[in-house]
């Protein structure tokens, strides 16, 4: 019997891992070992890793299995790098994620969590306190700034994501916001400006990465015989994504100014 537990609030000895990338340069500071967790509760229309959705594949691994791989190349990752837990959705395996990060912290390894935050629940606050006590940095994916738009895009409500952002702010966890800009879905001036206004109410945000929608995941959908609902939507140019980022930043600054809060330039 497998020993991992989906969204377990108890420490778990083993987790279900989709894959591990040994050389990650866009998943937190420095060069990082990136651990892709199996399982995700969202069904984002633009997801390029549908093979991570279900808990019916992957490899069982312990924290020591993973960190032993890191230790073999530790000099390669340091001084600025570390490990990043991504997915899928790492919070699907909260117990194992906490065990992994706690052991990494004990070994002096920098930890980054890449998450949608959707699984956060206030009633599990003490469990999240434990996880965040050994989390150095968070990459938080905010899928859509509008509540209904979030449901249309991901199949799930927006509220837990914003609650998790507030939790990160409360715990003073440095957080980079990620937002995928999709033509016709998450690229309107209203949607982008509202995201800027949302972010302006939090003091722990260290940066904003607006990622242009791409179509590289379509092949997986065809191979897995899964409908791809954005068929025909063109990839977004990086220049367009940069312009969209500027709209978010402008709205952020205006809202911070309205609130009479100090903001970074």
């Amino acid at each position: 019997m497998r020993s991992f537990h989906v969204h377990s609030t108890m420490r778990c000895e083993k987790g279900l891992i989709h894959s591990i990338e040994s050389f990650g340069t866009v998943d937190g500071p420095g060069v990082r070992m990136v651990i892709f967790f199996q399982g995700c509760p969202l069904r984002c229309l633009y997801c390029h890793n549908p093979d991570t959705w279900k808990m019916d594949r992957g490899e069982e691994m312990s924290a020591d299995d993973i960190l032993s791989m890191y230790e073999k190349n530790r000099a390669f990752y340091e001084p600025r790098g570390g490990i990043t837990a991504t997915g899928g959705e790492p919070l699907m395996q909260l117990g194992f994620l906490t065990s992994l990060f706690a052991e990494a912290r004990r070994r002096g390894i920098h930890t980054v969590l890449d998450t949608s935050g959707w699984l956060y629940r206030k009633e599990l606050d003490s469990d999240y306190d434990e996880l965040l006590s050994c989390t150095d940095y968070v990459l938080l994916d905010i899928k859509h700034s509008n509540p209904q738009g979030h449901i249309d895009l991901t199949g799930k409500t927006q509220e837990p994501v914003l609650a998790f952002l507030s939790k990160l702010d409360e715990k003073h966890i440095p957080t980079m916001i990620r937002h995928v800009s999709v033509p016709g879905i998450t690229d309107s001036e209203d949607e982008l400006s509202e995201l800027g206004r949302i972010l302006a109410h939090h003091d722990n945000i260290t940066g904003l990465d607006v990622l242009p929608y791409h179509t590289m995941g379509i092949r997986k959908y065809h191979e897995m015989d899964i409908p791809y609902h954005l068929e025909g939507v063109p990839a977004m140019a990086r220049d367009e994504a940069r312009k969209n980022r500027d709209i978010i930043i402008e709205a952020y600054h205006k809202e911070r100014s309205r609130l009479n809060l100090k903001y970074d330039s």
Side-chain angles (χ1 to χ4, degrees), residues 10-66:
M10 301 174 60
R11 291 286 188 95
C12 297
E13 291 184 3
K14 291 189 175 183
L16 192 59
I17 304 303
H18 174 271
S19 57
I20 294 178
E21 180 184 340
S22 59
F23 186 85
T25 59
V26 295
D27 302 282
V31 178
R32 313 192 67 81
M33 189 171 82
V34 184
I35 303 118
F36 292 83
F37 280 56
Q38 190 71 34
C40 185
L42 304 186
R43 293 296 180 265
C44 302
L45 298 182
Y46 56 71
C47 178
H48 57 276
N49 289 319
D51 48 328
T52 66
W53 289 349
K54 296 182 179 180
M55 303 289 287
D56 62 354
R57 60 184 71 194
E59 178 183 356
E60 280 190 22
M61 300 184 75
S62 68
D64 189 63
D65 290 335
I66 294 170

